[in-house]
Amino acid sequence: MTVLPESVTGPHASAGASLRAALAEAARVVGADRVTHPGEETAGPPVSPLGPNVSLYRSRAVHGVVRPQTAEEVRRVVALFADGTTGARLHTFSTGGNWGLGSREPAADGAVVLDLSGLDQIRDIDVAQGWAVVEPGVTQARLAHLLAGTERMLNVTVSSAHTSVVGNALDRGVGLRHQRVEDLMGLEVALPDGETVRVGWWPEPSRPTPVYPHGLGPSLVQLFVQSDLGVVTAATVRLLPRPEALRVVRLHFTPGQVEEATAEIRRWVAQGLASGVVKIYNEAAAKAYGGPAGQYLVHVCVDGTARSVAALSAVVTAEAERSGLFSAVSATDAEDPQAANHDIAVRVERAYAGDPDPTDVLFEAKTGRPAARLDEEGGFLFFLPLVPFTGGALARADALIEQVRVETGVRCGATFNTLGADVVDCVITMRFARRGDEADAAHLALDRLYELFATEGFIPYRLDIDHTDWADRLAPDAGARAFARRLKDAVDPRHVIAPGRYA
Ligand SMILES: Cc1cc2nc3c(=O)[nH]c(=O)nc-3n(C[C@H](O)[C@H](O)[C@H](O)COP(=O)(O)OP(=O)(O)OC[C@H]3O[C@@H](n4cnc5c(N)ncnc54)[C@H](O)[C@@H]3O)c2cc1C
């Protein structure tokens, strides 16, 4: 499954003079040591300069990887390819931790890859006003560290602490407080015509304007999210008020109770009892969090002042007990050193409070290895559909996952992340050993999940690099897709920016 296509032979063998000239010029812009060509490091058959990926997606043909370190270098590199004569398309990643969906790989063959992990400046920050200007290489660990002990916090994900704030938001990632796009206030974008624009909200040195992304007229920030219109070189990111107190209530329920238990949790969310994203793990996903065998695990965060947290956790506990749906309820695991899951509970509460844990303990419990070795040694795929937040819909999602197990033998992990009272982000994970048949079965399961969930109306909000055709198949209105293509033609007439997974 990792066999490289014959086209991975590098610019010296397959690309034209124009591409070689552009890459040579890019090396002058960023430094020769910051451009990698395919296969140049080994004497054997050509290897992808992107290395392996954790999902065993086919390595795409890549003409080279360029690693700029400043926004101006990005602008100049984009301009080098702008006339389209190289035939290459520019694919960009920030820190490339898009595990399960493609890691660093572009969706299509024939790309020059821009690795922006070297753009790692926190350019500006205003804790009182609640914003930071960060470049794509800034990790959640670095930004959260700066905010430790202040009145503001970052909405962190449960991926590695060393993944990018900007990259995750640009793929509509989900943090523990809400979907990360809600934190994007402004974007700095290198456009295919060689211009850099700043859309949305940006700080003005002479006056403290309110942090508000939409401005007047058409709101432009979201144009560059899951987008092939430009390369993002910085973002203004919202920093959230830090709650004075916070607690995570931990509950269990049996698989037979999915419909009733999730309906009950929906009631709590709709009535404002929970803060941030409620996480509901099936048995396979709950293991890393110390979930008991054969049970679902739920984390409900309550936060506010000390008194409101005491009151809300008591209310959630009482509602859970009154419902008779939950086999265990605990609001004190993080306070009680004797609790069986004390260490995990402390880390979970810290994460809801904006600490992504630079040691990646829970991340490694889930993946079995450090982030740096994941693409080389790990094996898993993600499928990420949205499901209406009703007990019936979540029970149906659970049944579809079971159907996939019966058909393929693959037991998927599933985490239901509530995005408000109406929508659930359903994270479905297939783990496999890299050698043997398990990878094929997992990829088969992934295909079935797309078909079964889409038929049900549970459509993915992020795509992997092998299922890009689903962007058209899932579009509710063909006219809207055609309009997006007209925008692409206007902004990027030579189609220099790689179409990615959504175009
Ligand atoms: C155990 C585990 C837990 C996870 N938990 C979460 C979670 O809680 N929430 C979540 O959302 N994900 C999660 N993930 C998935 C993934 O690891 C994260 O989304 C991660 O943040 C993505 O990596 P990145 O930040 O390096 O983004 P990148 O890989 O750098 O970027 C992602 C994509 O965004 C686009 N992009 C990136 N930068 C730019 C740019 N500068 N200009 C234009 N386009 C750009 C590209 O299409 C790129 O492929 C998890 C993964 C694992 C293995």
Side-chain angles (χ1 to χ4, degrees), residues 92 94-99 158-159 164 168 173-174 232 380 462 501:
T92 308
S94 290
T95 48
N98 212 10
W99 299 298
V158 297
S159 188
S164 160
N168 176 267
V174 171
V232 173
F380 69 83
R462 286 151 92 179
R501 303 186 301 286

Side-chain angles (χ1 to χ4, degrees), residues 336-394:
D336 175 9
Q338 306 305 320
N341 293 301
H342 173 68
D343 180 59
I344 292 170
V346 169
R347 288 176 198 277
V348 168
E349 286 195 354
R350 283 191 191 145
Y352 272 101
D355 174 3
D357 182 12
T359 63
D360 273 353
V361 166
L362 288 176
F363 177 81
E364 287 185 28
K366 282 177 281 198
T367 60
R369 50 192 44 81
R373 299 211 316 261
L374 202 51
D375 278 307
E376 203 180 324
E377 299 173 3
F380 69 83
L381 294 163
F382 273 144
F383 176 61
L384 300 165
L386 295 175
V387 177
F389 195 174
T390 66
L394 290 173

Side-chain angles (χ1 to χ4, degrees), residues 3-134:
V3 177
L4 289 167
E6 283 180 14
S7 46
V8 184
T9 51
H12 310 294
S14 69
S18 174
L19 176 56
R20 283 198 298 277
L23 282 168
E25 194 52 38
R28 274 189 281 280
V29 171
V30 302
D33 58 332
R34 301 194 68 83
V35 177
T36 312
H37 301 285
E40 66 181 14
E41 287 125 352
T42 61
V47 289
S48 166
L50 295 175
N53 68 80
V54 69
S55 307
L56 293 185
Y57 292 120
R58 175 181 70 79
S59 294
R60 274 47 176 174
V62 166
H63 295 302
V65 181
V66 182
R67 295 186 292 279
Q69 288 178 292
T70 66
E72 175 57 13
E73 286 179 2
V74 175
R75 191 195 65 72
R76 289 172 64 193
V77 171
V78 172
L80 289 173
F81 290 83
D83 67 6
T85 54
T86 67
R89 309 260 185 104
L90 297 171
H91 165 71
T92 308
F93 65 78
S94 290
T95 48
N98 212 10
W99 299 298
L101 298 177
S103 301
R104 297 168 295 272
E105 291 286 338
D109 291 317
V112 167
V113 175
L114 298 184
D115 169 353
L116 300 196
S117 57
L119 269 75
D120 60 359
Q121 300 300 305
I122 298 174
R123 291 188 197 165
D124 204 353
I125 187 163
D126 187 327
V127 171
Q129 253 202 303
W131 54 264
V133 180
V134 294

Side-chain angles (χ1 to χ4, degrees), residues 425-448:
D425 153 36
C426 182
V427 178
I428 303 179
T429 317
M430 286 136 279
R431 286 187 70 164
F432 55 83
R434 283 179 89 89
R435 296 189 196 289
D437 302 336
E438 284 185 24
D440 287 337
H443 278 265
L444 187 65
L446 180 63
D447 291 341
R448 283 301 282 150

Side-chain angles (χ1 to χ4, degrees), residues 170 172 181 184-191 195-202 212-232 234-236 483 487 491:
L170 290 177
R172 297 210 175 98
V181 277
L184 284 182
M185 298 293 106
L187 292 174
E188 180 183 87
V189 190
L191 294 173
E195 189 191 355
T196 294
V197 289
R198 288 180 173 179
V199 297
W201 182 86
W202 283 79
Y212 171 75
H214 306 300
L216 292 165
S219 185
L220 297 178
V221 172
Q222 299 303 324
L223 258 188
F224 296 98
V225 173
Q226 291 191 352
S227 169
D228 61 350
L229 297 179
V231 176
V232 173
T236 52
F483 175 63
L487 277 179
V491 176

Side-chain angles (χ1 to χ4, degrees), residues 275-301:
S275 297
V277 172
V278 175
K279 296 190 86 93
I280 307 169
Y281 303 93
N282 79 355
E283 183 190 0
K287 273 187 197 136
Y289 292 96
Q295 300 263 316
Y296 271 69
L297 168 70
V298 186
H299 287 156
V300 179
C301 174

